[in-house]
Amino acid sequence: MTQLIDGKALASSLMAKLKNSVAQQQRQITLAVVQVGDDPASTVYIRNKHKACEKVGIRSLHIHLEGDITSGSLLDTVHTLNSREDVDGILVQLPLPSGIDEGEVIRAIDPAKDVDGFHPINIGRMMLGEDCLLPCTPAGIIALLKSNGVDINGKECVVVGRSNIVGKPVAQLLLQAHGTVTQCHSRTRNLAEVCRRADILVAAVGVPRLINADFVKPGAVVIDVGIHRMADNTLCGDVDFDSVKDIVGAITPVPGGVGPMTIAMLMQNCVRAGHCGN
Ligand code: GUN
């Protein structure tokens, strides 16, 4: 029987623990979410982050700026949040409007408040295996594997995708957990063949249902990071779930797999940033 890796259940148990730890704190923990413009997907993501904050007992601020704001004003906003003692975590929702340099904005965030784990200082610390704020989706994937009894040590891990947010950092975390890691991308030759080597396959490509029965080895553990709304309004991942479900050993559903874990890890990062004091 194929095991369904339930991200929703693990996320809600983590959130319950975080709620307890927040309740024991003397100080209010605060997350500031900066939105630039009105990208509809960003609006939905931000709403979900605010709801999660409410569940855990974290105060959330929504700083909503006009889409035509200058880089300078956005950077001023970030600097102000850096210096506010009542703000523990800062998240600038991506993507930013064209014309704004995302890297410059991320670098402006105080690394101690960088709850996305996107600042080069945090990425560098992660590469060195140091304690730091980790990117939420990759950290959520590792937590899902560990809590579902998947041993990474010595396993063939194949990551499809090389984004800064998911592909690169998840490959690094799998390596630190002693996996043998192969990173694939759009130029990889014989992608299906490489994927079939995987004991643990992470699909973070952004192509609906790319990974089908040709790409999986019997018994493999499949983590699907993609989430796509199709023309018929249904959601699907980067993995063709129905095609692989009777072959693989375990798989995350979409929705209800990686998505809820990303938010739970964001809440965990907010609590950590709060504990560290700023
Ligand atoms: N846009 C899509 N995913 C993310 C994320 O994890 N963090 C931020 N800041 N923006 C995003």
Side-chain angles (χ1 to χ4, degrees):
M1 261 299 277
T2 305
Q3 180 192 349
L4 209 57
I5 300 179
D6 189 345
K8 202 171 159 199
L10 179 60
S12 67
S13 86
L14 284 172
M15 300 260 287
K17 283 188 196 142
L18 288 170
K19 184 178 179 189
N20 271 333
S21 119
V22 166
Q24 281 162 19
Q25 300 222 358
Q26 308 296 326
R27 260 184 82 252
Q28 171 74 64
I29 295 177
T30 299
L31 168 67
V33 178
V34 180
Q35 179 177 15
V36 183
D38 289 294
D39 176 63
S42 291
T43 300
V44 174
Y45 290 140
I46 289 171
R47 195 185 307 138
N48 289 338
K49 289 168 189 178
H50 287 308
K51 277 190 202 156
C53 284
E54 205 176 314
K55 269 193 199 150
V56 171
I58 293 174
R59 179 172 68 133
S60 61
L61 309 176
H62 187 182
I63 294 131
H64 197 166
L65 306 171
E66 296 292 333
D68 60 0
I69 192 175
T70 61
S71 273
S73 328
L74 176 54
L75 292 170
D76 286 345
T77 301
V78 171
H79 291 138
T80 304
L81 292 170
N82 284 343
S83 60
R84 273 180 63 170
E85 284 188 5
D86 65 325
V87 170
D88 300 286
I90 302 169
L91 182 155
V92 178
Q93 188 67 29
L94 304 176
L96 292 171
S98 58
I100 296 186
D101 179 346
E102 287 186 353
E104 186 180 18
V105 175
I106 290 168
R107 285 191 299 276
I109 298 171
D110 178 347
K113 298 189 179 188
D114 168 37
V115 287
D116 263 328
F118 292 168
H119 193 289
I121 292 269
N122 284 319
I123 300 285
R125 286 184 184 147
M126 179 193 65
M127 292 296 292
L128 296 170
E130 291 176 8
D131 202 25
C132 64
L133 292 167
L134 292 173
C136 302
T137 301
I141 291 170
I142 301 297
L144 261 186
L145 290 170
K146 291 195 170 161
S147 85
N148 281 270
V150 179
D151 185 17
I152 302 166
N153 194 335
K155 296 285 165 60
E156 288 283 346
C157 305
V158 176
V159 177
V160 192
R162 54 173 161 178
S163 69
N164 289 334
I165 295 182
V166 184
K168 285 187 209 168
V170 79
Q172 182 59 34
L173 296 181
L174 289 164
L175 179 63
Q176 279 171 19
H178 312 292
T180 301
V181 182
T182 304
Q183 187 128 41
C184 301
H185 45 79
S186 54
R187 315 268 175 110
T188 298
R189 277 179 280 146
N190 307 322
L191 180 63
E193 190 185 313
V194 179
C195 289
R196 276 201 304 274
R197 285 191 223 144
D199 300 310
I200 299 169
L201 179 63
V202 179
V205 245
V207 179
R209 300 196 183 108
L210 176 76
I211 307 297
N212 60 35
D214 287 343
F215 292 65
V216 293
K217 168 166 92 175
V221 175
V222 178
I223 304 292
D224 190 351
V225 182
I227 184 152
H228 311 277
R229 191 165 290 281
M230 306 307 278
D232 64 359
N233 214 29
T234 57
L235 291 173
C236 77
D238 291 349
V239 178
D240 186 344
F241 187 92
D242 290 334
S243 164
V244 307
K245 72 175 192 307
D246 296 326
I247 305 170
V248 300
I251 184 168
T252 58
V254 174
V258 174
M261 286 302 294
T262 298
I263 298 214
M265 292 295 117
L266 174 66
M267 297 300 108
Q268 191 170 75
N269 277 349
C270 292
V271 171
R272 279 195 65 184
H275 278 154
C276 295
N278 297 295

